[in-house]
Amino acid sequence: MFSCSRNPHAIFHPLSAASRLFPLYKYNSPRFLHKHVKSSLSPVRSLYSSSHSRSPSSNPRMGSLGAVGGSLQYPLARRDESVVDDYHGRENVTEKLKFVVRLEDPDAQEVKEFVEKQVELTDSVLRTCDTREKLRETITKLFDHPRFDAPFRRGDKYFYFHNTGLQAQKVLYVQDSLDGKAEVLLDPNGLSEDGTVSLSTCSVSEDAKYLAYGLSSSGSDWVTIKVMRVEDKRVETDTLSWVKFSGISWTHDSKGFFYCRYPAPKEDEKLDAGTETNSNLNHELYYHFLDTDQSQDILCWKDPDNPKHMFGADVTDDGKCPMYVLLYISESCEEVNKVYHCDITSLPGGLEGFRGRRDLLPFIKLVDNFDARYHAIANDDTLFTFMTNKDAPKYKLVQVDLKEPSTWTVVLEEAEKDVLESACAVNGNQILVSYLSDVKYVLQIRDLKTGSFLHNLPIDIGSVLDISARRQDSTFFIGFTSFLTPGIIYQCNLEAGVPDMKIFREIVVPGFDRAEFCVDQVFVPSKDGTKIPMFIVARKNIPMDGSHPCLLYGYGGFNISITPSFSISRIVLSRHLGAVFCIANIRGGGEYGQEWHKSGSLGKKQNCFDDFISAAEYLVSAGYTQPRKLCIEGGSNGGLLVGACINQRPDLFGCALAHVGVMDILRFHKFTIGHAWTSDYGCSEKEEEFHWQIKYSPLHNVRRPWEQRLDQPCQYPATMILTADHDDRVVPLHSLKLLATMQYVLCKSVEKSPQTNPIIGRIECKAGHGAGRPTQKMIDEAADRYSFMAKMLGASWIE
């Protein structure tokens, strides 16, 4: 079934289950409910020292080891003198890293011992953080409120997700009408004692008789698909294994669905799924018939000549003959794909006729090159409407008749400034379009055939989280949030011609008063003069005297936009630690379209770090904070951002929190889905791209700052590097290697080292890249990292 956004649900856009392979880690980013499909899966998607003017040097003692009770005894990883990487004639690249023993084998005994010692060290530091339990208690109290997702309709039923407050995972409910009695359909909380089994994706058949759903364990990207009968909630015997970066697309007869998987590991490989590091290769598209064994599934598409390609399938929505399945093919996280189509109704014997056969489905090529991204919005017979960035870096809508595949007609032109984020067919021949305008959402109703403007839909400054809409329905739902709005679900009815928009549900956090806070957006000049938008959230009427703890968050990659969203932990920081919270919308993201993205990727990656550093300098010069009270935070590609920035400007920050970051830019492509990220980072096997990477790779640029600038000696900020044992997106070895390198270069290898700020790692068990993490684990991690931040910045608790 068609999804709405240019970034369907998952980094190939494997977010669209084959949509984005490099997600936003677990930052609250917008997620679209593609009509009947709800997924948090994401497929593949996520230069050197800066000459910025120096801000006043941070207090080298702030957050020092003295603050945590004396010198820390850092674990030492064994040095391996045999490790030599020859990068285009440069054999000494890994000289400082020989001790790491790569730290790339999670099953090696010495790696396990290294991790155990790091856990002990971090626990000893966290025990000294006096705000830890207060943060845990306060965050838990505010977290305990009901939360809802927008309802979606299939057949004659409505479905929605709901968490009563502190449930580990949200629960799927079903009801016969919007005001009818709701019943629990699927509660993942009963599937594990510790809440680490999560619902990663689900899809309801068109007649609402069946629910196909994907379960993930311990946060891994690996998914097992099961099937349930909706009427009696009976779980069928269907079990589909080794599924990854996949959506679920039912055929209209409800006999089965399309999904994607990887070949099963060899029988002798006894692996704890999610802890392996080998590359994900040879994605395959299958069709599964209900009540059959997975071994009987129809192999619909594979491409062994291109093992890095990834696939996704959508069945057309109109339900008429012909009925098409669209095949999307991606080779990386770049916003480009191929599109093939197959008329299922024209197959001799239908899909059943392919049972037991070796030949693939006879797809016809519509777009057969990787020069743009195409995503189907709607179709009438052979006339398709696509959202595309073909000659339109901010996206547009086009139409093509499959009978005349060389003729494409523009329906909705690319906007001059705003980025077209999503488009959904609604109410017959209308479309709901969502634009991003200076990092704020704008919603409009337009004509599907002509693209002409019909209506604006009034929403506050914030983000559209969910859009639940179908072409055959005149009513649709919009999930909305902002920095000061926990959540609103709007219901909009177009039946009368003029939109009738009202609040369907509103999420209320007891004890939170938005009137206490203010939100500002500023535009900060970067090193090259480019204006970088930044949101600043703080208590009202704070003095601009540089006295406030400040948390600066960034991402800057993979065409992903970081837009306003509500966060309990950030509100607690502002209210009880007096902190200012900021988001810098740096280049590399998607906030202003492809050009903004490309100006922060590949050979221009340094622009991301320059932008973030400029944002930090602005916060100091404007009087919000000072270097010793400034903490930076980022996850995934944002973890790379934090790692690069503390290497380039260690004097500018008092604390750094780097989550699940890509820290080894020379070797990332060798592990799991890392090969898909070369579209943003390049590949060290190519000499030109190696020279880009070696200048900013966090692992390869750790230097003793007191030896670099003798006139203004400083040290690295207090740093917490966070990872998890089942992160098979950005595997833990990235964080472990950087942690070992920083501890060795800055501390263990230097007698009486000036590096007194702690360098520690928080390594979570039974967790992954961020998706599916149970509520208690999220609360515990927030309490740990922000109490560490408070201790290092000298922030005191305010009742």
Side-chain angles (χ1 to χ4, degrees):
M1 306 305 173
F2 294 142
S3 59
C4 308
S5 70
R6 64 188 173 92
N7 295 327
H9 39 228
I11 217 178
F12 328 174
H13 198 259
L15 266 187
S16 151
S19 224
R20 270 204 190 191
L21 301 176
F22 207 108
L24 284 177
Y25 168 54
K26 60 180 188 287
Y27 178 82
N28 296 328
S29 62
R31 288 288 182 266
F32 287 91
L33 175 58
H34 308 311
K35 292 175 288 192
H36 62 287
V37 179
K38 184 72 175 181
S39 173
S40 59
L41 233 182
S42 265
V44 196
R45 291 217 7 175
S46 133
L47 290 161
Y48 177 36
S49 58
S50 167
S51 60
H52 284 280
S53 59
R54 286 181 62 94
S55 300
S57 178
S58 58
N59 182 349
R61 282 292 178 185
M62 173 56 68
S64 66
L65 299 186
V68 295
S71 274
L72 296 180
Q73 298 301 312
Y74 291 107
L76 182 63
R78 178 175 61 87
R79 289 177 64 87
D80 185 353
E81 298 298 331
S82 67
V83 174
V84 176
D85 281 341
D86 183 354
Y87 287 98
H88 312 287
R90 293 182 57 172
E91 293 189 358
N92 295 324
V93 171
T94 57
E95 180 61 33
K96 291 187 298 183
L97 313 180
K98 290 180 181 293
F99 71 94
V100 173
V101 194
R102 294 264 189 241
L103 288 173
E104 291 176 358
D105 181 2
D107 296 320
Q109 185 58 36
E110 58 187 327
V111 175
K112 294 179 180 179
E113 292 174 358
F114 176 78
V115 168
E116 289 172 0
K117 292 177 182 178
Q118 293 292 346
V119 171
E120 293 173 0
L121 174 68
T122 299
D123 285 346
S124 71
V125 172
L126 291 176
R127 284 195 295 269
T128 72
C129 298
D130 52 8
T131 61
R132 187 185 187 192
E133 292 310 314
K134 291 181 179 178
L135 280 168
R136 192 192 324 274
E137 177 184 347
T138 306
I139 293 173
T140 300
K141 183 178 179 180
L142 287 181
F143 224 103
D144 192 6
H145 66 275
R147 297 181 294 282
F148 298 86
D149 288 356
F152 58 98
R153 188 177 182 182
R154 297 301 289 160
D156 58 355
K157 298 182 184 298
Y158 287 88
F159 302 81
Y160 67 92
F161 286 93
H162 171 49
N163 190 312
T164 58
L166 295 177
Q167 289 177 288
Q169 304 290 341
K170 59 187 177 182
V171 178
L172 179 61
Y173 289 78
V174 60
Q175 56 189 157
D176 291 332
S177 64
L178 290 175
D179 54 2
K181 180 183 178 181
E183 297 181 353
V184 172
L185 180 59
L186 178 60
D187 183 358
N189 297 295
L191 301 178
S192 61
E193 292 184 2
D194 57 5
T196 56
V197 173
S198 64
L199 184 62
S200 67
T201 186
C202 73
S203 180
V204 179
S205 63
E206 184 172 315
D207 57 11
K209 289 184 178 180
Y210 295 98
L211 166 72
Y213 58 96
L215 298 176
S216 168
S217 296
S218 302
S220 168
D221 280 335
W222 288 114
V223 170
T224 299
I225 295 179
K226 303 286 290 182
V227 176
M228 175 187 288
R229 289 202 322 194
V230 173
E231 183 178 5
D232 57 8
K233 304 177 182 60
R234 188 182 80 180
V235 178
E236 304 286 22
T237 58
D238 307 62
T239 300
L240 311 183
S241 303
W242 303 110
V243 178
K244 184 183 272 197
F245 309 138
S246 175
I248 298 171
S249 189
W250 288 88
T251 45
H252 294 288
D253 56 13
S254 299
K255 291 183 178 180
F257 51 83
F258 293 94
Y259 73 99
C260 293
R261 57 165 292 182
Y262 285 99
K266 298 177 183 177
E267 291 182 359
D268 59 349
E269 287 187 24
K270 297 180 180 179
L271 59 90
D272 181 4
T275 63
E276 75 285 354
T277 63
N278 51 292
S279 287
N280 298 142
L281 300 172
N282 297 303
H283 213 219
E284 297 172 334
L285 173 67
Y286 282 86
Y287 183 83
H288 173 73
F289 281 99
L290 295 184
D291 299 319
T292 64
D293 188 80
Q294 187 177 16
S295 62
Q296 300 177 42
D297 289 354
I298 296 172
L299 176 59
C300 302
W301 192 258
K302 65 177 181 178
D303 189 354
D305 292 334
N306 294 285
K308 296 178 182 179
H309 282 187
M310 297 185 63
F311 312 118
D314 267 341
V315 176
T316 54
D317 268 350
D318 61 358
K320 303 174 183 177
C321 289
M323 179 171 64
Y324 293 97
V325 58
L326 298 182
L327 171 65
Y328 296 101
I329 303 175
S330 174
E331 63 178 350
S332 68
C333 293
E334 189 174 1
E335 292 280 299
V336 298
N337 62 276
K338 297 180 179 181
V339 182
Y340 299 171
H341 60 87
C342 177
D343 177 4
I344 302 174
T345 54
S346 69
L347 300 175
L351 286 168
E352 289 91 342
F354 278 78
R355 292 195 190 205
R357 291 170 53 177
R358 292 181 175 273
D359 45 334
L360 306 178
L361 292 190
F363 282 100
I364 298 173
K365 299 173 181 179
L366 177 63
V367 178
D368 195 32
N369 51 59
F370 291 120
D371 69 344
R373 184 173 185 273
Y374 298 84
H375 182 71
I377 303 302
N379 77 292
D380 291 294
D381 195 10
T382 58
L383 182 64
F384 277 75
T385 301
F386 283 91
M387 185 172 165
T388 182
N389 56 10
K390 174 68 172 177
D391 301 321
K394 296 180 178 65
Y395 281 83
K396 63 185 178 184
L397 297 184
V398 297
Q399 287 184 341
V400 63
D401 194 320
L402 299 186
K403 297 175 182 177
E404 300 180 33
S406 61
T407 303
W408 295 73
T409 304
V410 176
V411 176
L412 178 58
E413 293 282 2
E414 176 189 25
E416 181 178 349
K417 180 180 178 183
D418 299 342
V419 182
L420 182 60
E421 283 285 299
S422 69
C424 298
V426 297
N427 196 33
N429 289 316
Q430 295 178 344
I431 47 173
L432 169 62
V433 296
S434 170
Y435 285 99
L436 198 59
S437 178
D438 279 333
V439 206
K440 299 176 285 288
Y441 277 81
V442 176
L443 291 176
Q444 298 175 350
I445 302 294
R446 289 180 173 267
D447 186 272
L448 176 61
K449 302 299 182 183
T450 66
S452 59
F453 172 82
L454 299 176
H455 307 283
N456 268 322
L457 298 183
I459 57 172
D460 200 354
I461 294 175
S463 301
V464 174
L465 285 175
D466 299 324
I467 293 179
S468 174
R470 299 192 305 175
R471 186 175 181 180
Q472 61 265 47
D473 295 335
S474 58
T475 298
F476 58 89
F477 299 88
I478 300 164
F480 175 84
T481 187
S482 72
F483 291 117
L484 304 180
T485 304
I488 296 175
I489 298 172
Y490 291 103
Q491 180 180 1
C492 185
N493 192 330
L494 299 175
E495 193 171 12
V498 177
D500 178 16
M501 191 164 165
K502 62 182 181 181
I503 293 177
F504 177 72
R505 285 194 179 109
E506 184 167 7
I507 297 172
V508 177
V509 178
F512 166 69
D513 182 3
R514 64 177 294 159
E516 298 177 18
F517 305 91
C518 64
V519 179
D520 292 311
Q521 186 183 36
V522 297
F523 293 83
V524 178
S526 187
K527 181 180 180 181
D528 63 1
T530 301
K531 295 295 182 68
I532 308 302
M534 177 166 61
F535 288 105
I536 302 174
V537 184
R539 298 289 293 267
K540 286 184 175 178
N541 302 318
I542 61 172
M544 304 294 282
D545 58 3
S547 63
H548 312 288
C550 186
L551 178 63
L552 174 61
Y553 185 96
Y555 186 78
F558 297 92
N559 205 41
I560 292 174
S561 303
I562 306 295
T563 59
S565 66
F566 187 80
S567 165
I568 290 292
S569 58
R570 296 195 304 245
I571 292 298
V572 170
L573 295 183
S574 293
R575 177 185 286 174
H576 293 288
L577 293 177
V580 176
F581 172 75
C582 311
I583 289 179
N585 297 108
I586 62 178
R587 283 173 284 185
E591 288 85 350
Y592 293 98
Q594 275 191 303
E595 294 172 352
W596 190 257
H597 166 227
K598 290 183 177 180
S599 64
S601 63
L602 299 175
K604 298 180 180 179
K605 189 65 180 174
Q606 180 61 34
N607 284 336
C608 302
F609 316 132
D610 290 343
D611 293 353
F612 202 57
I613 288 169
S614 295
E617 291 179 327
Y618 171 84
L619 293 170
V620 173
S621 64
Y624 284 99
T625 191
Q626 52 188 289
R628 68 185 183 90
K629 287 185 171 291
L630 177 58
C631 176
I632 55 173
E633 182 175 25
S636 200
N637 176 75
L640 157 64
L641 171 70
V642 170
C645 286
I646 59 176
N647 280 340
Q648 296 184 15
R649 287 298 304 275
D651 62 299
L652 187 54
F653 315 110
C655 184
L657 306 173
H659 303 251
V660 293
V662 186
M663 303 305 191
D664 186 348
I665 298 299
L666 300 188
R667 288 175 58 80
F668 71 85
H669 59 287
K670 297 178 179 292
F671 310 108
T672 63
I673 199 59
H675 57 77
W677 312 334
T678 56
S679 55
D680 253 53
Y681 302 144
C683 180
S684 61
E685 294 171 14
K686 299 178 180 179
E687 184 169 2
E688 179 186 10
E689 296 175 6
F690 162 77
H691 288 293
W692 301 339
Q693 296 175 330
I694 193 61
K695 294 178 180 179
Y696 71 82
S697 175
L699 181 63
H700 300 90
N701 285 281
V702 177
R703 294 180 175 84
R704 298 165 188 149
W706 55 87
E707 295 178 354
Q708 306 299 310
R709 296 179 176 177
L710 300 178
D711 57 328
Q712 290 183 307
C714 67
Q715 59 173 308
Y716 270 65
T719 301
M720 176 183 282
I721 298 172
L722 299 93
T723 188
D725 63 348
H726 282 73
D727 186 352
D728 48 357
R729 185 75 58 83
V730 181
V731 289
L733 61 89
H734 285 277
S735 295
L736 298 181
K737 291 198 291 186
L738 180 62
L739 185 63
T741 300
M742 292 180 67
Q743 291 175 345
Y744 178 79
V745 172
L746 302 176
C747 305
K748 294 291 289 185
S749 63
V750 182
E751 187 176 354
K752 296 181 180 179
S753 172
Q755 180 64 41
T756 56
N757 292 337
I759 309 294
I760 61 174
R762 188 185 188 281
I763 305 166
E764 183 68 83
C765 293
K766 297 192 73 175
H769 199 62
R773 191 163 296 193
T775 298
Q776 191 58 55
K777 281 186 178 290
M778 291 193 290
I779 293 172
D780 290 343
E781 185 193 273
D784 286 356
R785 71 181 190 266
Y786 290 137
S787 63
F788 176 76
M789 179 193 81
K791 181 81 171 182
M792 298 304 112
L793 302 187
S796 300
W797 187 262
I798 304 169
E799 293 295 346

